[in-house]
Amino acid sequence: MKTRSVYYCNYSIGEDAYADVVKVCSIYGTKILLIGGKKGLAAGSNRLQEKLAGSKLEIVDTVWYGHDCTYAVIDSLANHAKEIQADMIFGMGGGKVIDVAKGVGAKLELPVFTFPTIAATCAATTALSVVYREDGNFDSFYFFERPAYHCFIDLTVISQAPWKYLQAGIGDTIGKFFECHFSARGDKLEHSSALGREISNMCYEPLLEYGEQALIDCKNYQVSVALEQAVLANIVSTGLVSLMVLDDYNCAIAHSVYYGLVLLPGFEEKWLHGNVVAYGVLVQLAVDGNLQEAARLKAFLQRLQIPTTLKQMEVPVERDYLQAVLTETVSGPDMEHIPYQVTEDMIFDAIKLVETL
């Protein structure tokens, strides 16, 4: 039987999580290339520098990653890291910059450490990067042997970020639970996928309990138990599911609806990924005939101020207008492993039903 190696991302979480950096990272060398987004660096770099003071760890250079995670950006920063003889890569900011940092580390076989400054995605703990083309459109997934070595989740930093990112992260995390269970339905799962599916339960129930209060606390820039639980769901629980299940079980109808809707002019610029995925979950539940759970989820999303209809997102519920959306939804890669065939008519009927729930 072939040997498999499974790697997980360790993490530190708390009001002063960067205090662990020296202890965790010193064994990997001394020279750091810090890659960040402008807002992320403004939020966390000084705080990080304070924790490195007096240690052997040195940030040799701090660079802004740009606007998108592209192969050109990854290659350019990998060359720079090689020139300055970096021993490790730090990625600080949101999902795109962390994806760049992971790509740079993979290119050079250097350890990567992540510092998420918002809780909108699980990029900080996963073993892949979402790579875009130069025109901003999706290119491919860049898969790695392992995730970041350690993730430093500083709740003080995240509590100061705009609450809309936590909101979107909650929406995307909820999708992980529903899509994982839906796409794995009827399959006999091996250990890793079965364990990942069970962990996906932690992507929904804790958010029902803590999500609303977490958003209130984030709006008030307060670190709290509720905020911690929501951030753990968004960054850690989803990351573990992504690492453990076969790719077949990571996404389903909800994400495919998102990739359909972003074809509409101006849509992607206006609506955050996670909020649209949450809406897509409602469509998935309607397709599946689970209207009781759809009504429960819709009420929860409304309390989180996440849009639950196309009308709220200023999209006409008209078949001709949505034709490209419907075509992309049913033909997208996230629909390759679901328990039954889904047609454009089924998606459109579910969209109409969600409007009237």
Side-chain angles (χ1 to χ4, degrees):
M1 186 173 290
K2 186 178 179 181
T3 300
R4 296 172 58 232
S5 297
V6 181
Y7 300 94
Y8 305 114
C9 180
N10 297 325
Y11 66 92
S12 300
I13 185 168
E15 294 183 71
D16 194 23
Y18 296 175
D20 282 355
V21 173
V22 173
K23 176 180 66 177
V24 171
C25 301
S26 291
I27 61 174
Y28 298 100
T30 59
K31 297 179 179 179
I32 301 163
L33 173 61
L34 174 60
I35 302 171
K38 289 183 178 178
K39 293 179 181 178
L41 290 172
S45 61
N46 288 340
R47 192 173 179 84
L48 175 60
Q49 286 279 19
E50 291 174 1
K51 302 305 177 184
L52 299 182
S55 75
K56 294 181 179 180
L57 292 176
E58 175 192 5
I59 297 176
V60 179
D61 197 10
T62 299
V63 295
W64 174 54
Y65 82 108
H67 296 285
D68 269 326
C69 176
T70 67
Y71 287 113
V73 169
I74 290 172
D75 289 341
S76 174
L77 291 180
N79 288 334
H80 181 59
K82 192 173 182 179
E83 289 171 1
I84 65 174
Q85 299 182 316
D87 297 317
M88 65 196 82
I89 308 297
F90 284 11
M92 178 176 285
K96 288 184 177 181
V97 63
I98 287 174
D99 280 352
V100 168
K102 290 186 294 185
V104 172
K107 283 276 184 183
L108 301 177
E109 296 184 351
L110 293 177
V112 176
F113 301 90
T114 56
F115 298 78
T117 57
I118 57 176
T121 74
C122 59
T125 59
T126 56
L128 65 88
S129 291
V130 182
V131 183
Y132 296 84
R133 295 194 293 267
E134 297 300 325
D135 62 5
N137 291 316
F138 172 76
D139 183 317
S140 62
F141 294 113
Y142 186 3
F143 292 96
F144 312 121
E145 181 181 359
R146 61 169 301 156
Y149 281 48
H150 202 99
C151 174
F152 298 92
I153 308 168
D154 194 298
L155 292 173
T156 300
V157 172
I158 289 176
S159 71
Q160 301 301 308
W163 65 273
K164 66 179 181 179
Y165 296 117
L166 178 66
Q167 177 196 53
I170 291 173
D172 200 26
T173 299
I174 289 169
K176 185 68 74 178
F177 165 75
F178 285 102
E179 289 183 296
C180 186
H181 279 269
F182 180 73
S183 58
R185 183 185 299 169
D187 287 3
K188 184 175 178 60
L189 304 184
E190 294 185 353
H191 176 270
S192 185
S193 288
L195 186 55
R197 182 187 58 185
E198 294 310 300
I199 293 174
S200 77
N201 297 332
M202 295 294 291
C203 296
Y204 188 38
E205 292 300 331
L207 291 175
L208 286 174
E209 181 176 357
Y210 295 107
E212 192 174 359
Q213 186 61 48
L215 278 185
I216 293 171
D217 295 337
C218 193
K219 289 178 182 180
N220 292 316
Y221 312 111
Q222 292 180 352
V223 175
S224 66
V225 171
L227 179 66
E228 180 183 46
Q229 294 306 304
V231 169
L232 283 169
N234 290 5
I235 296 177
V236 177
S237 297
T238 48
L240 285 171
V241 177
S242 176
L243 286 167
M244 299 188 74
V245 301
L246 292 176
D247 197 47
D248 288 341
Y249 308 133
N250 257 317
C251 295
I253 295 175
H255 269 82
S256 208
V257 167
Y258 165 81
Y259 288 116
L261 286 170
V262 295
L263 297 178
L264 299 175
F267 185 89
E268 189 172 14
E269 290 75 21
K270 192 169 184 179
W271 302 103
L272 291 173
H273 170 89
N275 288 347
V276 182
V277 169
Y279 164 77
V281 173
L282 293 175
V283 176
Q284 177 176 301
L285 288 168
V287 167
D288 205 35
N290 193 348
L291 299 186
Q292 182 176 355
E293 190 60 54
R296 179 191 186 208
L297 175 59
K298 182 167 185 174
F300 177 56
L301 296 180
Q302 288 173 333
R303 294 197 298 273
L304 299 180
Q305 301 176 48
I306 292 176
T308 59
T309 65
L310 289 187
K311 182 178 180 181
Q312 287 179 287
M313 291 184 276
E314 301 174 354
V315 175
V317 185
E318 299 170 4
R319 181 65 182 253
D320 290 344
Y321 184 78
L322 294 174
Q323 186 54 52
V325 176
L326 300 175
T327 301
E328 176 63 27
T329 298
V330 300
S331 62
D334 293 328
M335 302 288 275
E336 292 178 358
H337 191 94
I338 53 177
Y340 50 81
Q341 183 178 2
V342 174
T343 66
E344 293 179 9
D345 287 342
M346 292 166 68
I347 295 294
F348 186 61
D349 288 343
I351 287 173
K352 291 189 294 182
L353 184 56
V354 169
E355 296 293 305
T356 61
L357 272 178

